[in-house]
Amino acid sequence: MRDPRDSPRVRTPRIYRVCDGFTEGLVYAMVIFSPWAFGSTDPWANWVMNIASYLLGGLLLIKWLTRWRTGYRPSRWSDPSDLELAGGNNRPRPSWITALMAVLTVLLLSYCLTSALNARATFYLEELRFDYHSYIPWLPHSYDRGASWFSFWSYLGLACFFWSLRDWLLGKTRQERHAEREEGYEEYNSFSATPAMSSGGSLPPSTLRLPHSALRTPHFPIIPERLRRLLWVLCLNGAVLGLEAILQRLNGTNKLLWLIEPRWNKTADSQFGPYAYRSNAAQYFNLLWPVCLGFWWTLRRRAKEARRKVTRIGEGSHLILLPCAIIITACPIISISRGGAIVSLLAMLFAFPILIVAGRRGRWPIQLGVFMIFAATTGLAGYLGWEKLEKRLETIFTDFTDVMSGRGEIYTNVVQMAVEYPVLGTGPGSFASLYQLYKKPEQHWAGYVHDDWLETRITFGWVGFSLIVLLLLLILARWFGSRGIPAQWELVALIWLAMAGCLAHAKVDFPFQIHSVVFLFTLLCCVLSCVSRRE
């Protein structure tokens, strides 16, 4: 059998490397920009994120065309194992879960596009009137054409971001490809008894793949380089954001980032950091801190395996993540958002046993260290935010008319909307314009239901709502597949925990109407769509 080192080396096309480099830089810029641009709540910030996402989609298209024109096949974590390649499967095919995710993405975008094109009405806010159009009733339609078009462009941007980031994350860096070739010869030769090898054939280095067991060697990180860099940017940016939010709260200013006084929520206690609504800030931090904690745990385990000894204090860059995790975890409580604090405390109750179980084979200092992390977090949060939060929690259920800041009357009014538009909904983004027809004259005109589950069912109907739920379930189930980035179960469990907290909070608030929160949720969905169990 011919040694694979004798085969000519397949070089990455220059344009492909350039596109990968621009993709990485643009993703990092979006991660940093999204929360700092006042949560991307203003239309201008939303459009900046959309345009950046379209650029990512264009870069992905160029990479696809490059693969097709040149026949280049990049080394990817989602490729078949070496056993499958040796058996003759030389062209990797996407798993059925990935293929179904792509189909559902197209269906959802088509649903939004059809609703905008087949609009039942256009709403003019200045005149407070609807201009009705002819439409096809059995197709998705919208009662606010402008809002549905805006929703479609936003969802298109999120779709471009998701698939472009996924393609980039699954690719292997040059160092990983070189290490794979060096470490893979022994694994490669171990399959020489297969029919493909016994016939004298050989695999070129570009198709050489290692089984997941080989990734446990010291040359291969538990988290691949691209995903590791992305998580570092997320965690460090979140820690700086949290520190700024805490300092802004202690300062008492009612200007976001000490720059702008928002149109709504003008008091300092109702804001937090760059967010004009403290609950949206808490939702963002609650999505982030379990990821930061899981990232620290995974890097700590890698450092221990690499040195074959217990990590000592002061060793390893992963220790930087500890203060980052403490700051980010404390922020939802310091924000004095009732929903954010409750979700954060419940998530901590689940995160603690996850790490205790994950470290059950380690020494007692590890378990003590986990306890100290949560103790330090609750101590910091309690010292800076519990006094005001306690007063707000005492009035959360004073009477029905003031349940959770007036949400009770909104829920009562929108029940009829769900009954009247059960199948196809009122159209993406159309709730705010229609709510005026269902509220009483003396009641406040709400822009959101404060229940994203219900608002999604009203605007998308059961058809669109089912597509969204099915897509989310596929993403959550992707880890049980056999291909992808091999991930530790505790990291995946903590990401699931972060997303579950956001979904639970969405029952009493509107995190999925805030672009920065949806963007981070989409990013975590993308990470989950790339990872798989370690064999």
Side-chain angles (χ1 to χ4, degrees), residues 85 133 163 171 267 293 304 321 339 370 444 474:
L85 288 169
H133 317 297
W163 290 103
T267 62
L293 192 62
K304 178 182 176 181
L321 291 171
V370 172
H444 175 69
L474 285 174

Side-chain angles (χ1 to χ4, degrees), residues 322-445:
L322 281 177
C324 295
I326 292 174
I327 292 174
I328 297 172
T329 308
C331 281
I333 299 175
I334 299 174
S335 71
I336 66 173
S337 164
R338 290 175 292 192
I342 293 173
V343 169
S344 180
L345 291 172
L346 289 176
M348 279 191 267
L349 289 178
F350 284 98
F352 182 73
I354 288 175
L355 295 185
I356 291 298
V357 171
R360 65 187 183 278
R361 296 181 180 177
R363 300 182 180 179
W364 66 266
I366 296 177
Q367 298 179 350
L368 179 61
V370 172
F371 174 79
M372 293 300 296
I373 291 172
F374 285 100
T377 299
T378 53
L380 175 64
Y383 178 75
L384 295 178
W386 178 250
E387 182 179 355
K388 294 181 179 179
L389 179 61
E390 184 181 17
K391 296 178 180 178
R392 299 198 70 238
L393 290 174
E394 290 174 353
T395 60
I396 192 171
F397 293 121
T398 51
D399 55 53
F400 181 78
T401 59
D402 191 39
V403 169
M404 301 171 68
S405 302
R407 289 171 174 80
E409 70 178 27
I410 301 176
Y411 299 155
T412 302
N413 295 335
V414 300
V415 169
Q416 188 62 29
M417 297 180 68
V419 172
E420 293 183 6
Y421 308 98
V423 180
L424 298 176
T426 63
S430 62
F431 168 79
S433 57
L434 276 178
Y435 181 68
Q436 59 166 323
L437 305 179
Y438 293 85
K439 72 179 186 66
K440 297 178 181 178
E442 69 276 7
Q443 291 178 341
H444 175 69
W445 188 349

Side-chain angles (χ1 to χ4, degrees), residues 122-130 144 263 432-433 436 445:
T122 299
F123 178 67
Y124 296 97
L125 180 61
E126 297 80 5
E127 304 173 20
L128 297 180
R129 70 177 181 88
F130 291 91
D144 189 344
R263 182 179 179 183
S433 57
Q436 59 166 323
W445 188 349

Side-chain angles (χ1 to χ4, degrees), residues 4-63:
R5 278 174 278 197
D6 296 334
S7 302
R9 180 176 172 225
V10 178
R11 298 184 63 87
T12 304
R14 179 180 178 84
I15 188 172
Y16 199 94
R17 292 199 304 270
V18 171
C19 288
D20 259 352
F22 275 110
T23 297
E24 181 173 10
L26 199 53
V27 167
Y28 295 161
M30 294 173 71
V31 167
I32 296 172
F33 175 85
S34 178
W36 286 98
F38 309 105
S40 298
T41 53
D42 292 331
W44 67 267
N46 203 321
W47 276 111
V48 169
M49 295 292 291
N50 287 344
I51 293 172
S53 297
Y54 303 152
L55 291 176
L56 286 176
L59 293 171
L60 177 60
L61 180 61
I62 294 174
K63 291 197 291 185

Side-chain angles (χ1 to χ4, degrees), residues 439-461:
K439 72 179 186 66
K440 297 178 181 178
E442 69 276 7
Q443 291 178 341
H444 175 69
W445 188 349
Y448 309 105
V449 180
H450 287 266
D451 180 350
D452 275 347
W453 291 86
L454 181 57
E455 182 167 346
T456 303
R457 186 156 61 87
I458 290 172
T459 55
F460 280 83

